[in-house]
Amino acid sequence: MLRSAANDLKRDDASAEQDLGLPPGAFAELTSGRRPVDWDLVGKAAAVWPLNERDLLPIHDDCPDGVRIHRLADSVASGRTINRGGSPYYEYRDTAMSRVASYRPEWISMLRVVEDSDPDNPAVEWNRGHLLYQFTYFVGPVNYYYRWEGVSHCVEMNTGDSVWGLPFAPHSFTSRSSTEPAYILALTYGGDLLGDAQRELSVLGAGAARALALPAEQAALLRSFAQARLLSGEELARRAKLPAPYVAQLLSGEASATSDETAALAEALGVAVRELLPTRIDTEAGVHLAHRSGARSWELPEQGRAAYRVTQLAGDPAHPHTTALEVDVLPGADASDGWLTTYQHQYVYVLDGAPVELHWEHRGERRTDRLEPGDSAYVLPGTRLAFAAVDGAGAAQDGRTARVLLLRVGGATTTDVRFALATIPGDGIERYLDEDRLWFTSDAAPSDAARPAAVQTDAPQYDSTDQESAREH
Ligand SMILES: [Fe+2]
């Protein structure tokens, strides 16, 4: 990261050493890993260069095998009772999470029992809503309360029901039974709202953030691109070969473009058509409810014996990179039935039923582990994954099926980033991930001398056999 930052700022070793007050040769030692980068150096770099400390810090890889398993016993041990209104309201337990992904999945048991489904029941303790998006999977007789624009709602939920909710909507959960288990799996995640966007906007301020908010309509996108390009409505109309008064109506939202007109406007603006398509938000009162009775189900694979029965859970078109599924691992399913692979971060929770075998392949290595109900796992994007039925006597005799909750959430590698990755030539992706050399070859410092330790380091993902072509600009 230090080399990459120095390259971006067009510093070679000597000028970087001068900026950072380092002796000759020290910068190459730092960027090769032979000398550790300490906090003093990070602070110094952030003081003299226009970057932030965090730009120089790597994230922790706590998932070197591709899958991080969290056992039921560890979840139970993490249990803590949370009071609301002075008495116990929830028991929280941690389940699988990773430093690589921003989602925060919790098992939460409802300790407050109610006798009705009245949203104004005084026994219900509401929160104030939170920044994170929330997907919730329900087990048992759980009342779900949510409030949107001052109106309170209560929905009776049961096993297999789910909901997806927008940030900042107050909500609560209670149990309708003092004897049956009543709990939820609550998966909160920030999506693109957290991280870099939030940090940038906190500098820009609330006024700028309000001005940047895009309503889900094409006119707002058209105005934004026209402003960015200093294009008048008339010039846009000439370029798109559309009448100027009509383009004025499109820009104000009084008219809606056909798909042919949208294509002409995209051409006129020099953008892909998808940049002019607004998002779609299907929530009602801030939430998208999915009851098991109406859920869509299908089997995989389509040909031959089915291994999985998949049921779609709650989600929303506003978050196309979030997928929630319930997967029944059918008797006889084994790992040869095909990999379930996705670009998303993945959370696995084994629901009540039979245990299941998890098979996965990460960086060429195959592994397997057995998961019991209540166990959970985090899976890195791109890891090949398969579930197999456990042919144990217990599972077969009482007819239980293994049932797995899958929540898949897109990470920082957005569609735009993935398009960009495809444009990086040759060994560029390795360099993008682990830049350890100068961006040019100078006469006085041949490329091999400029990266003297490259072949000695154990930096992962760096192919020391590659042939770098000298690139100068
Ligand atoms: Fe919540």
Side-chain angles (χ1 to χ4, degrees), residues 127 130 134 171 173 188:
N127 66 11
H130 44 69
Q134 183 165 332
H171 50 278
F173 304 89
T188 50

Side-chain angles (χ1 to χ4, degrees), residues 98-360:
S98 163
R99 290 168 178 80
V100 184
S102 72
Y103 70 82
R104 297 289 172 249
E106 295 285 342
W107 177 101
I108 308 174
S109 174
M110 283 66 245
L111 304 179
R112 181 68 46 88
V113 177
V114 296
E115 313 254 295
D116 59 33
S117 297
D118 176 5
D120 299 318
N121 186 330
V124 179
E125 301 284 347
W126 293 77
N127 66 11
R128 294 189 295 166
H130 44 69
L131 166 59
L132 301 175
Y133 296 92
Q134 183 165 332
F135 167 83
T136 307
Y137 181 89
F138 296 84
V139 178
V142 177
N143 270 1
Y144 169 51
Y145 306 86
Y146 59 101
R147 187 178 289 150
W148 191 254
E149 293 176 339
V151 181
S152 301
H153 307 260
C154 174
V155 193
E156 293 189 5
M157 300 301 240
N158 293 289
T159 302
D161 295 341
S162 57
V163 64
W164 183 89
L166 290 170
F168 294 126
H171 50 278
S172 187
F173 304 89
T174 62
S175 168
R176 295 191 302 278
S177 167
S178 56
T179 52
E180 287 177 69
Y183 62 92
I184 59 171
L185 288 151
L187 293 111
T188 50
Y189 65 98
D192 297 342
L193 267 185
L194 289 187
D196 286 347
Q198 191 184 22
R199 289 186 177 90
E200 182 174 293
L201 289 167
S202 70
V203 171
L204 299 182
R210 276 190 206 96
L212 288 173
L214 274 177
E217 51 196 49
Q218 190 181 56
L221 289 166
L222 284 172
R223 288 196 301 271
S224 179
F225 278 115
Q227 283 172 7
R229 284 157 171 69
L230 293 181
L231 286 178
S232 64
E234 289 78 2
E235 176 62 14
L236 183 58
R238 278 191 289 275
R239 292 184 182 199
K241 298 185 173 58
L242 293 169
Y246 180 60
V247 168
Q249 287 183 322
L250 293 176
L251 286 165
S252 68
E254 292 164 67
S256 305
T258 65
S259 44
D260 282 353
E261 290 162 356
T262 299
L265 290 161
E267 186 69 28
L269 289 163
V271 300
V273 170
R274 77 184 186 102
E275 301 295 347
L276 298 184
L277 303 179
T279 189
R280 201 179 108 213
I281 306 172
D282 272 359
T283 55
E284 269 181 52
V287 302
H288 200 130
L289 297 164
H291 290 284
R292 159 165 258 146
S293 52
R296 200 167 180 93
S297 250
W298 62 100
E299 289 183 346
L300 284 177
E302 288 281 348
Q303 312 301 329
R305 175 181 50 81
Y308 307 123
R309 166 161 288 280
V310 184
T311 303
Q312 188 168 315
L313 303 175
D316 196 82
H319 273 213
H321 303 295
T322 301
T323 318
L325 303 164
E326 195 187 79
V327 177
D328 286 349
V329 182
L330 302 176
D334 65 45
S336 65
D337 286 315
W339 295 113
L340 308 174
T341 311
T342 177
Y343 65 93
Q344 298 149 299
H345 296 271
Q346 192 162 200
Y347 171 76
V348 177
Y349 181 89
V350 183
L351 295 159
D352 280 346
V356 69
E357 253 175 28
L358 182 66
H359 294 256
W360 72 97

